[in-house]
Each structure stands twice: as C-alpha cells, then as structure tokens.
Amino acid sequence: MTATLLDGRALATRIETSLQGEVDTFATVFHRRPRLVVVLVGDLAASGSYVKSKAAAAGRVGIDSEVVRVPASATTEELVALVAAIARDEHGPADGILVQLPLPEHVDTVAVLDAVPPDRDVDGFHPENAGLLSQGRPRFVPCTAAGVQRMLIDAGIETAGRHAVIVGRSDIVGKPLALLLASRGPGGDATVTICHSRSSDLAAITRQADILVAAVGRPRLVTADMVKPGAAVIDVGINRIAGPDGSGKLVGDVDFDAVRAVAGSISPVPGGVGPLTVAMLLANTLLAAELRAGRG
Ligand code: GUN
C-alpha cells in the first residue's frame, strides 16, 4: 500500500481564498483591516522564517501585520512591558498579538505569554483560552491543533469512535489536540490517548492508533513498525537535521519513506501541517478583529 498524501499546502490555499473574502467583507463594514502584531525576540533563523511566512500569508488575505523585533538580550520585564504597550495599541491597532516561541532561556516564557490579553491571544495559549477549550466552548484554538483537526475533516478521515493516539503532550499541540479530538461534533468524538517521553512501550500504543499524530520534535521517531496498516498518520514535527552534503534538511517526527508504505494516509514535512498552522492563525486574527469590532 502507498498512503494517500495529505496536502496541507493545497488545503491552506483554499482556506486563504475563503478568508480573503471574509477579510474584505470585514474591511468594507468596519473601514479598516484586521491587524496582527508579532513579537520576534532574537535572531533564531527558524523563528525568523516562520514569522516571515506568517506575515506573507497575512498579506495574501488582506490582513495587515507588523513584526516588532527585539534583541535576544531583552529581559522578561522588558518583554512584558512591550506586550502591554502593544495591547494599548501603541504599535498601531493590534487585533491579534503573537509572541513567537521559543524565547531565550533567561526569559520567563509563561510571564510573557500571560501578558497577551486573552481577547487578542490568536495563538490560544492564554489560560483563559485553554480553559474555554477544555470546557468545550472554544474561542482561540492553538493554530497547529486546529490545523490538524481541519486536515482530518477535509480529508474525510472519520474520527468518531476511532482511536487517536497523540505522541507529545505540549500545551501548544498535544494537549489542545487531545481536547479537540475528544470533543463532540465533526472532527471529534474520538477515543484519545496521549503518549510522551515517559510512556512505556510506545510502539505497542501507537500500533493501536487509527489516527496517529506525532508532535514531539524528535526526527523520524515514528517508524513503520509503530504504525497500524491503513492508519492516518499526521506529522507535526519540523526538525532541521544535517543533510548528506552537510546542508540543513527539514524532516518530521515520522520516518516518511518507510511509514508511507504502511499508512493509509500521511502528511508530509514540509507541506503538511505547517501551512495549516499559518492558515489557522489568519482565521484567529480575523476572529479577534470581529470580536473587538463587535464590542465597538
Ligand atoms: N513556535 C513554534 N510554533 C509556534 C506557534 O504555534 N506559536 C508561536 N507563537 N510560536 C511558535
């Protein structure tokens, strides 16, 4: 068997096209465009490139954006103060505020993320948004988790009554995705297992998965023997490894070439979940602008 490819790029393009219409309608009604402010701390190449693709995607759908760059030496207090200033619209109207992660090690990441007002938290990381999701009344859902669920729905992969196994328990992906897949309704109603670095006999658990999601940040951790034949395999990992010629190469958490021969469907890296994460961020930014406009 060769698995069906889950093309995240193509789906993201369709989502962007539909968002473009909604953003234009917003602009016509409110005489302004939704606006996203991104805080980029330091000069990590990967973070710089993610932020660039977020800003480019925003531009394509008609969302204004600004990237506020801060040196890696910035302190927690300085970053909290910066986010507070952005929330007072001192960097222009900020419907959505996003602090690109990871932050430098000396920074208290939780303190900085908590400074983002929950009604502009387009990453969905604030405890208020995490709480709303856990209670089944989502507002801003973390973008990667939302993207994975959207990919499953779009591909017609049934989740109801199926066993979804998520490898990875992060606040950004694993935990919110588990809540989404277990929630009631389309793309939900699954039986969900979360595995992590302390799980014993990981392969015995992943082999039970009808839907297997790898979100641990370990290059090619999921091998073919860990996959049930015909399963849907979603690869959230984005790992940079040294290629054969010494250049950087992007690989996922799944051993793609081997797993492709076993799985029923599989998302590639790059071109799988990544573009959907960006598309979901745009959707959250429009939602943030609508919520703010609605409140007048
Ligand atoms: N770094 C890697 N993924 C993410 C994400 O989804 N949001 C933010 N803010 N930073 C990230």
Side-chain angles (χ1 to χ4, degrees):
M1 180 190 317
T2 298
T4 304
L5 262 198
L6 299 168
D7 185 344
R9 264 191 207 120
L11 174 54
T13 300
R14 277 188 276 132
I15 294 169
E16 280 186 14
T17 302
S18 122
L19 280 173
Q20 206 172 8
E22 293 175 55
V23 168
D24 284 346
T25 302
F26 178 93
T28 304
V29 173
F30 295 106
H31 309 290
R32 69 179 188 88
R33 297 201 157 264
R35 192 161 178 278
L36 171 69
V37 178
V38 177
V39 177
L40 176 60
V41 183
D43 45 20
L44 273 183
S47 293
S49 110
Y50 296 147
V51 164
K52 214 168 144 186
S53 61
K54 288 170 184 179
R60 285 196 297 273
V61 304
I63 290 176
D64 290 337
S65 69
E66 180 184 343
V67 180
V68 179
R69 285 166 212 277
V70 187
S73 57
T75 64
T76 300
E77 292 68 31
E78 287 166 345
L79 291 172
V80 167
L82 172 62
V83 170
I86 292 170
R88 290 192 300 270
D89 290 340
E90 289 175 16
H91 287 254
D95 298 301
I97 301 174
L98 180 150
V99 180
Q100 184 66 28
L101 301 179
L103 295 176
E105 259 179 32
H106 66 270
V107 172
D108 179 347
T109 297
V110 171
V112 177
L113 292 180
D114 282 358
V116 176
D119 57 351
R120 306 187 196 198
D121 168 37
V122 285
D123 255 330
F125 295 165
H126 191 282
E128 185 174 311
N129 290 313
L132 288 171
L133 175 61
S134 81
Q135 291 188 348
R137 43 191 189 133
R139 180 171 54 189
F140 297 114
V141 176
C143 305
T144 302
V148 171
Q149 187 186 45
R150 187 70 173 263
M151 178 181 258
L152 293 170
I153 293 171
D154 182 74
I157 294 168
E158 182 60 82
T159 51
R162 316 280 301 282
H163 188 185
V165 174
I166 301 166
V167 188
R169 57 178 159 181
S170 69
D171 291 338
I172 296 182
V173 186
K175 278 193 244 172
L177 181 59
L179 288 167
L180 285 178
L181 295 178
S183 68
R184 295 174 197 275
D189 295 313
T191 303
V192 180
T193 300
I194 298 184
C195 308
H196 46 75
S197 54
R198 301 295 299 272
S199 297
S200 49
D201 203 351
L202 184 60
I205 303 168
T206 59
R207 272 197 297 271
Q208 296 171 32
D210 303 304
I211 297 161
L212 178 58
V213 181
V216 269
R218 297 258 311 268
R220 299 179 180 135
L221 174 86
V222 174
T223 46
D225 59 303
M226 297 170 70
V227 176
K228 172 154 93 175
V233 178
I234 312 292
D235 192 349
V236 175
I238 303 177
N239 309 290
R240 267 159 229 271
I241 62 165
D245 57 357
S247 65
K249 179 176 157 62
L250 271 192
V251 299
D253 291 350
V254 174
D255 183 0
F256 182 84
D257 292 332
V259 170
R260 187 178 196 183
V262 180
S265 49
I266 186 167
S267 71
V269 176
V273 174
L276 292 177
T277 298
V278 177
M280 295 297 113
L281 172 66
L282 304 178
N284 277 350
T285 304
L286 173 61
L287 173 63
E290 287 169 343
L291 290 174
R292 210 145 82 107
R295 265 203 311 272

